[in-house]
Amino acid sequence: MPVDVRTHPDTPDLEQLQNLVLEPIPQDEIRRRREDGHVLVEDVINDRDDLDVRAPLTDEPGEVAEGDVGTALYRLVQLFGTPPFPEYMAGEDISDRYETTYKYLFRVEVRDDAEELPDEWLLTIRDWELEVGVGVCEWRDEEEETFTADSTVALTSMALAQNVTNEPVNCDYKDIWY
């Protein structure tokens, strides 16, 4: 049974997450990297049996989810604009989409020394089987290379994504929080 990332014993607390800066990677950089022959390899945290964590959209761990991946997408669009991956743009051929319909790429920078974390890393936030999905990734020269993220980085990434997608944003329409 998957565990809410907020209740996992190795997940950093909110004070530690405040020292992390989430910066969206623009589409131009993704295209340039691909044109240079780089491939983004990804360790999807939701798929890892050793961690077995999720990022539910609830106020408290264990509650019934109040939102879904659509709510998470709305909040991400309000905060960061539309998803930057060219293959997830509206109007593109979607016949090969199975479990992912949107995906964001972010650079995470550590603003305060954290011994167990690198200075920066890449993560994705996307939909995953109707839940918020999170991946830790790296640019590589070959697609066949496997990549497994450090478990501390993986849990931190999941907790950061859960926090970003779970917090309501102010809507222009009727000045409500959604």
Side-chain angles (χ1 to χ4, degrees):
M1 178 84 172
V3 175
D4 187 315
V5 70
R6 295 170 288 187
T7 62
H8 192 284
D10 298 325
T11 298
D13 60 22
L14 284 176
E15 283 187 24
Q16 292 172 302
L17 292 180
Q18 292 176 10
N19 296 321
L20 304 176
V21 175
L22 196 63
E23 175 189 3
I25 303 295
Q27 189 177 86
D28 290 346
E29 183 175 334
I30 295 169
R31 286 182 194 269
R32 182 180 47 77
R33 289 284 206 151
R34 288 176 171 176
E35 288 169 1
D36 290 344
H38 296 109
V39 176
L40 193 67
V41 293
E42 184 176 16
D43 178 15
V44 179
I45 309 310
N46 302 63
D47 288 334
R48 287 188 48 178
D49 292 332
D50 63 323
L51 298 177
D52 201 22
V53 292
R54 298 294 184 270
L57 296 174
T58 63
D59 288 336
E60 295 294 327
E63 291 182 346
V64 176
E66 295 174 2
D68 56 25
V69 293
T71 303
L73 174 60
Y74 179 82
R75 291 172 178 167
L76 290 166
V77 168
Q78 290 299 305
L79 294 169
F80 304 108
T82 57
F85 282 93
E87 60 270 25
Y88 295 109
M89 294 186 65
E92 294 297 313
D93 177 16
I94 62 169
S95 60
D96 65 335
R97 293 184 192 174
Y98 173 67
E99 62 187 31
T100 302
T101 58
Y102 68 84
K103 186 190 273 190
Y104 285 81
L105 178 61
F106 297 97
R107 180 176 293 108
V108 179
E109 293 181 19
V110 178
R111 292 295 165 112
D112 192 17
D113 289 335
E115 293 178 18
E116 61 279 348
L117 293 173
D119 292 339
E120 68 177 40
W121 70 91
L122 298 175
L123 76 81
T124 57
I125 301 177
R126 42 119 146 232
D127 60 323
W128 177 88
E129 298 181 2
L130 302 178
E131 297 179 24
V132 174
V134 181
V136 177
C137 42
E138 293 180 352
W139 289 108
R140 300 270 180 97
D141 292 330
E142 295 182 29
E143 188 171 1
E144 290 79 32
E145 293 184 47
T146 59
F147 171 63
T148 302
D150 173 80
S151 59
T152 302
V153 172
L155 287 170
T156 301
S157 298
M158 182 69 83
L160 184 59
Q162 194 280 333
N163 188 267
V164 168
T165 58
N166 196 51
E167 291 297 318
V169 294
N170 192 11
C171 305
D172 288 333
Y173 180 71
K174 292 193 177 182
D175 196 32
I176 61 171
W177 290 88
Y178 181 76

